[in-house]
Amino acid sequence: MNQNIGFFCSPIGLGHATRDVAIAQFLQKPPKFLTGAGAAKLISEYGFSVNDEYTPPNFDVQNGVLQGSLGWLWKYYQYYKDCKKISDRFISSERPQIIVSDEDFASLAIAQQKNIPTILITDILETRFTKGIGSIIEKKMNKSMREIIQKCDMVILPESGQDQDNIRRVGPIVRSTQYTREELRKRLGFEKKTIVASVGGTDAGRFLIQKTIEAASKLKDVDLVLVSGPTLKIQNQNVRNLGFVNNLHEIIFASDLVISLAGKSTIDESKAYGTPGIFIPIKGHFEQEDNAKEEGYFFDDIYKLDSLIPQKLESRRAQVQTDGAKKAAEIILQYS
């Protein structure tokens, strides 16, 4: 049928955008995206049409620890209501025949009201940000989220495992490259052992960057390259800072070690390209703590970088073959 696809991408971090680009490259007809912040910039640099309209609330992270999670949840609820209005306007204007959403539940709610087929891409099926009284509010939000998920025609999880009900597990969703590792190292000027420190699109990873710079400065014949994202400003003459990039997967492939916050997309790209990684979660961020734990890391490992970095630099590379992006696109195409 090759119908118009409206693709809604959560702009909280850059991981959603990277996997959505990977999927969109397999679709027969380019979708029209709606997102915001650094995600909009990344998607547009891949040549896709994108509306930059969402303004997500920032996490308050001090010294690597999430602060005021209940306050953030309230801001998120207000943001969600704004997103419903924005997505309603977009759907009314563009008239897509199918809605694909990467953790943007506002667009799903509007589409389901309009009886438009919906496909959700997500790593989480419920949130666990708060405790105590705040958890009562979060439980209500989770109940609404579960109802939206159950109404979706399909839910795509970028992990391995068995399918169930309307959930399809397709494995890691990562971007591909046409270059060999040696070609990328030459293009990027990586001559020594190279550590890449990446903290996504927000200020949340400043503490990790600082600790990584301290630890790497004690090593000889090792280069540290920062990918600080579109907003985080790092001033250090001894460190090469690439700022915002649209090809982190290639930079990870070319490097010898990646040090990152524990976002799923970066972890998946590290595994797919066989680059050893150290993944430090934001303390109190349930999703990152779960991701990190699965890889054998905890927040307190940020204080062990002096020993972890030399150890991981000696690790063997082991690429993992994945076609999650292609599988996800095939599922979407069944409905379009």
Side-chain angles (χ1 to χ4, degrees), residues 177-233:
T177 180
Q178 61 183 345
Y179 301 107
T180 66
R181 184 166 182 264
E182 290 70 27
E183 288 170 339
L184 288 170
R185 285 185 65 83
K186 188 174 180 179
R187 288 167 66 93
L188 293 165
F190 290 180
E191 297 176 356
K192 300 178 182 179
K193 283 266 189 179
T194 305
I195 302 167
V196 167
S198 169
V199 292
T202 69
D203 193 57
R206 185 180 292 274
F207 190 58
L208 176 56
I209 289 285
Q210 291 169 344
K211 291 295 183 184
T212 300
I213 291 173
E214 288 175 16
S217 67
K218 301 171 186 176
L219 300 174
K220 293 181 179 180
D221 296 320
V222 171
D223 283 335
L224 175 62
V225 175
L226 303 185
V227 179
S228 59
T231 58
L232 183 58
K233 306 300 180 187

Side-chain angles (χ1 to χ4, degrees), residues 11-303:
I12 300 174
L14 292 176
H16 304 285
T18 60
R19 69 187 179 198
D20 295 344
V21 161
I23 294 168
Q25 289 176 327
F26 283 101
L27 298 176
Q28 295 168 357
K29 185 176 181 179
K32 291 190 175 181
F33 281 94
L34 194 152
T35 184
K41 178 176 170 63
L42 188 146
I43 291 168
S44 67
E45 289 190 1
Y46 275 86
F48 293 103
S49 171
V50 56
N51 284 35
D52 181 359
E53 296 189 52
Y54 283 171
T55 306
N58 292 323
F59 287 112
D60 180 10
V61 178
Q62 304 292 331
N63 293 332
V65 181
L66 181 62
Q67 308 291 318
S69 55
L70 180 57
W72 183 85
L73 205 63
W74 175 249
K75 288 178 185 176
Y76 181 85
Y77 178 64
Q78 299 301 316
Y79 161 74
Y80 171 78
K81 291 197 296 184
D82 290 340
C83 289
K84 286 182 75 174
K85 294 175 185 175
I86 294 168
S87 58
D88 195 2
R89 288 199 302 268
F90 179 90
I91 291 170
S92 298
S93 171
E94 299 294 338
R95 304 179 69 84
Q97 281 83 35
I98 178 174
I99 296 300
V100 179
S101 163
D102 192 328
E103 291 187 17
D104 175 56
F105 287 89
S107 59
L108 294 174
I110 296 298
Q112 289 170 358
Q113 288 173 11
K114 297 176 182 289
N115 294 316
I116 300 171
T118 51
I119 295 177
L120 169 65
I121 302 162
T122 184
D123 343 311
I124 58 170
L125 298 175
E126 68 173 10
T127 65
R128 301 191 312 277
F129 279 113
T130 58
K131 297 178 181 178
I133 295 174
S135 66
I136 298 172
I137 300 169
E138 189 170 20
K139 283 177 182 176
K140 288 184 177 180
M141 292 176 68
N142 275 323
K143 183 175 183 291
S144 297
M145 189 167 78
R146 281 195 299 272
E147 289 172 355
I148 291 172
I149 290 171
Q150 287 169 359
K151 289 179 184 176
C152 284
D153 292 85
M154 199 62 69
V155 179
I156 297 171
L157 267 62
E159 60 184 40
S160 301
Q162 295 296 313
D163 298 338
Q164 60 192 85
D165 301 323
N166 65 339
I167 294 174
R168 298 291 177 271
R169 290 178 167 85
V170 300
I173 297 172
V174 302
R175 292 168 289 176
S176 59
T177 180
Q178 61 183 345
Y179 301 107
T180 66
R181 184 166 182 264
E182 290 70 27
E183 288 170 339
L184 288 170
R185 285 185 65 83
K186 188 174 180 179
R187 288 167 66 93
L188 293 165
F190 290 180
E191 297 176 356
K192 300 178 182 179
K193 283 266 189 179
T194 305
I195 302 167
V196 167
S198 169
V199 292
T202 69
D203 193 57
R206 185 180 292 274
F207 190 58
L208 176 56
I209 289 285
Q210 291 169 344
K211 291 295 183 184
T212 300
I213 291 173
E214 288 175 16
S217 67
K218 301 171 186 176
L219 300 174
K220 293 181 179 180
D221 296 320
V222 171
D223 283 335
L224 175 62
V225 175
L226 303 185
V227 179
S228 59
T231 58
L232 183 58
K233 306 300 180 187
I234 300 290
Q235 301 296 330
N236 190 304
Q237 294 180 341
N238 300 318
V239 176
R240 180 182 172 193
N241 187 2
L242 301 180
F244 173 87
V245 300
N246 61 15
N247 65 330
L248 180 60
H249 61 303
E250 293 181 328
I251 294 167
I252 287 172
F253 189 20
S255 70
D256 297 285
L257 171 66
V258 59
I259 301 175
S260 171
L261 294 175
K264 180 166 177 56
S265 292
T266 305
I267 292 173
D268 283 348
E269 290 186 335
S270 169
K271 285 181 173 180
Y273 287 106
T275 303
I278 297 171
F279 304 105
I280 306 295
I282 296 171
K283 190 170 186 178
H285 190 301
F286 79 95
E287 186 181 0
Q288 290 208 1
E289 288 181 330
D290 287 351
N291 291 341
K293 186 177 180 181
E294 198 168 313
E295 302 305 315
Y297 293 104
F298 301 89
F299 172 75
D300 286 349
D301 288 325
I302 199 168
Y303 302 109

